[in-house]
Each structure stands twice: as structure tokens, then as C-alpha cells.
Amino acid sequence: MEVIDLHCDALLKLWEGKGRLSFADSPKLDTNKERLKEGHVKVQCFAIFIEPEIKQEQKFQIVLEQIDYFYREVLDKNQDMKQIKDWSDFYKLKPGQIGAMLTLEGVDAIGNDLTKLSILYQLGVKAVGLTWNTANLAADGALEPRGGGLTLFGKEVVHLNNQHQVLTDVSHLSERGFWDVMELAHYPIASHSNSKALCNHPRNLTDEQAVAMFKRGGTVHVVYYPPFVKEDGNASIADLIKHIDRFCALGGAKHIGLGSDFDGINMFVGNLENAAKTQNLINELLKHYKEEQVIGFAYQNFLNRLPGRT
Ligand SMILES: [Zn+2]
């Protein structure tokens, strides 16, 4: 069964590798082309992520460098990798081709300059998270003790996302920020978040947040990072599926998707260590859910909610 994965950090690793890693088959990448094919991942989202230690004045330069790796190393060297630049591109993929979509994990790098955001849209960024874990000019992240919501600038970012039919991603955002996004965003999504009721971590979503996302027509994509799956960090695929069960029990069966976080994590759910293992999750899901429901989790729920279709 084909899968759409809403989050990986392969671009960060490619950038850190300074050209030494091959996207085609480097074993250092959890998400390389060989592994995507083996795992039947039909579309992979590639997050642009700048580590918080980087000086502000260098951040946008590094965003451009990571996008350059996306174009040169992921796309140009692999003719079977096709960029998803318009929402309609999902339906143009041929057998054997894999879609690749750029996303932005936190707007720190644009400072207060919306022109930079506009340029990123033009380069193909289709989902924008306002923050990583800490605060920036747009909002507070989930680990920022102050727990603030969106600033006026953050609200402008959401409006610009709406205008461009770009998804606004709430994964990593503070809870107050989440509720602000729920009011403003036309296309909200949680690209890699689990259930806080099952695993009490500030990165996860409360039941109230999950229900709000479902009611707003967004999708929540479960993440394979053990500390977000189970509090002791020792997680199996069965434990991950409990998060899907929980979201289903809250009425989210048609709003659940997958967001691995591969290449951004250094601990793994058993039998789910890289993109090649993706079908282990699908096969386990098929033991618990009807095929049509699993197709929903794997890709159809996300496709049904794409801008222009809801
Ligand atoms: Zn993340």
C-alpha cells in the first residue's frame, strides 16, 4: 500500500553531510530513495529545518542551501523523484515515480521579512510550521515556558499561507499558538504529532486539540519517535497504533495520517527504523482496521483534505 509521509529531516542530514551523502542510497539516510521505494512511500515531505544554535544572520542562507540540496541531490540526480509544487501534482505521479514536497519547520529564518516567505513559496514550500520548540518572531514553541500564542507577525504568516493555499503546521507550536491557528488557518495540519492522553509530552496534542483539528478539517499525522509514543521511550508498532486508535475514538478516522520524522530522530520504534520498514506499520494496521481505513491513514485522508478539495 502506498504511503504519504508528511515529515522527514533528510535535508538537514544532506546539508550537514556537505555533499558526501547520496540521496539515492546512502545508508546514513533513514529516508533515501532506495528505502522509500522499499517502503512504498509514494510521496515524501522534506522539512527545511535550521538548528536553533545557528546565528540569526546565517539562517536564511542555510535555508537556501538546504533547498539547493533538495533540487540538486534529491531531484536532479534522481529522475524518478518528482517535485510536488502544486497540489494537483499528487495526481500526476506515474508508477515508479516518488513525489517530493518541501515544507518549512519554523519561520525563524525569515526574521520579520515576509518577502522571504513568499520566495520560499515560489521555490515550492507547501507547508509552514510557525515554530520549532522555542520562540521566534511568529509564536512560542511547545517547549517555551512562557507559552505565548501567535504574534501579529505570526498571524500575518498564517494569512499569507491561506492566500497561497499553503498548509499551516501546528506540530511544535505552543498550545496557545495552536488555538490561534485554529481560528485563522484555512488549511491547518499537524505533520508529526501524537496523543498527549497516551503519552504526556509537550509535543503531543491533547484530546481537545485533536478534536478541534478534526472539526476544522485538518489532518494529524502520527510520528514514529519513541518518546512521543510511550513515556518510557520503549515503543513498538502496537504502541504507535494505540495513538491511531485514540484519534479514531475521538472521531478522527478520516483525519489521520503518517509523519515519520525519519532523519530527525535517533531512537526508533521497533521494526520501524527507516523508510524501508514503512510497510511493517501498514501490515500491522491491516490486522486492526479495514483496508479502506488503512488506505485513509496511509494517504487518502490527506489527499481528501488538500486545499481546493475541501
Ligand atoms: Zn519536528
Side-chain angles (χ1 to χ4, degrees):
M1 186 181 295
E2 290 180 342
V3 164
I4 297 177
D5 178 359
L6 260 287
H7 193 89
C8 84
D9 285 304
L11 294 182
L12 176 65
K13 278 198 190 165
L14 287 169
W15 177 79
E16 286 173 342
K18 297 185 166 63
R20 288 188 295 266
L21 301 186
S22 157
F23 176 73
D25 59 3
S26 169
K28 291 191 173 152
L29 294 173
D30 307 330
T31 315
N32 64 34
K33 186 177 73 176
E34 203 173 81
R35 287 175 165 165
L36 289 174
K37 290 208 162 165
E38 197 177 331
H40 298 262
V41 179
K42 187 65 178 171
V43 176
Q44 179 65 54
C45 294
F46 291 82
I48 302 160
F49 171 67
I50 309 300
E51 281 167 301
E53 309 79 70
I54 306 271
K55 286 200 188 94
Q56 181 61 35
E57 59 269 28
Q58 294 173 345
K59 284 183 178 176
F60 194 69
Q61 169 67 23
I62 297 173
V63 164
L64 296 178
E65 289 172 13
Q66 290 192 12
I67 293 175
D68 194 44
Y69 276 105
F70 177 78
Y71 276 96
R72 288 187 300 117
E73 183 58 41
V74 176
L75 296 175
D76 291 354
K77 289 190 186 171
N78 299 282
Q79 293 302 306
D80 40 359
M81 297 293 301
K82 295 286 169 195
Q83 186 178 11
I84 304 287
K85 217 169 172 181
D86 291 298
W87 295 119
S88 60
D89 290 340
F90 279 95
Y91 301 98
K92 295 178 185 159
L93 292 170
K94 300 194 177 86
Q97 293 181 335
I98 297 176
M101 184 173 114
L102 279 176
T103 67
L104 181 66
E105 190 168 25
V107 296
D108 307 50
I110 66 169
N112 63 356
D113 185 354
L114 290 175
T115 303
K116 290 193 170 108
L117 186 60
S118 172
I119 288 167
L120 296 181
Y121 296 147
Q122 291 176 54
L123 290 169
V125 168
K126 303 299 288 175
V128 171
L130 293 171
T131 65
W132 191 59
N133 288 330
T134 52
N136 60 24
L137 295 180
D140 283 5
L143 300 187
E144 187 68 46
R146 177 177 62 180
L150 267 57
T151 61
L152 282 177
F153 177 69
K155 292 178 182 181
E156 284 185 67
V157 170
V158 175
H159 289 309
L160 211 56
N161 286 346
N162 291 344
Q163 264 177 41
H164 287 81
Q165 296 200 317
V166 163
L167 310 176
T168 299
D169 187 354
V170 299
S171 290
H172 287 285
L173 192 57
S174 68
E175 187 165 350
R176 243 185 98 188
F178 171 93
W179 293 111
D180 288 340
V181 167
M182 283 301 107
E183 273 185 32
L184 299 172
H186 293 178
Y187 314 108
I189 184 176
S191 67
H192 55 310
S193 293
N194 289 341
S195 163
K196 200 179 263 184
L198 297 186
C199 179
N200 187 16
H201 190 288
R203 273 280 285 101
N204 284 341
L205 299 173
T206 64
D207 286 353
E208 291 75 17
Q209 287 177 297
V211 167
M213 180 63 89
F214 306 150
K215 286 197 172 145
R216 287 283 279 97
T219 44
V220 176
H221 297 251
V222 294
V223 51
Y224 312 167
Y225 184 48
F228 300 163
V229 177
K230 212 166 147 225
E231 278 158 34
D232 68 10
N234 186 5
S236 64
I237 286 179
D239 295 319
L240 178 59
I241 290 176
K242 286 180 191 155
H243 289 262
I244 291 177
D245 297 342
R246 180 81 183 188
F247 289 143
C248 282
L250 296 171
K254 292 191 161 28
H255 299 267
I256 295 166
L258 306 176
S260 68
D261 213 359
F262 282 137
D263 292 305
I265 59 181
N266 50 12
M267 299 164 68
F268 301 93
V269 168
N271 293 321
L272 200 53
E273 293 87 356
N274 59 58
K277 307 288 186 79
T278 304
Q279 293 299 312
N280 290 344
L281 171 59
I282 298 299
N283 291 333
E284 201 57 35
L285 279 167
L286 285 168
K287 292 181 195 165
H288 295 78
Y289 289 94
K290 287 185 200 140
E291 187 179 11
E292 193 189 335
Q293 283 178 301
V294 181
I295 288 172
F297 308 150
Y299 62 88
Q300 194 63 51
N301 289 345
F302 177 70
L303 290 181
N304 287 346
R305 307 280 158 191
L306 286 183
R309 288 180 61 98
T310 48

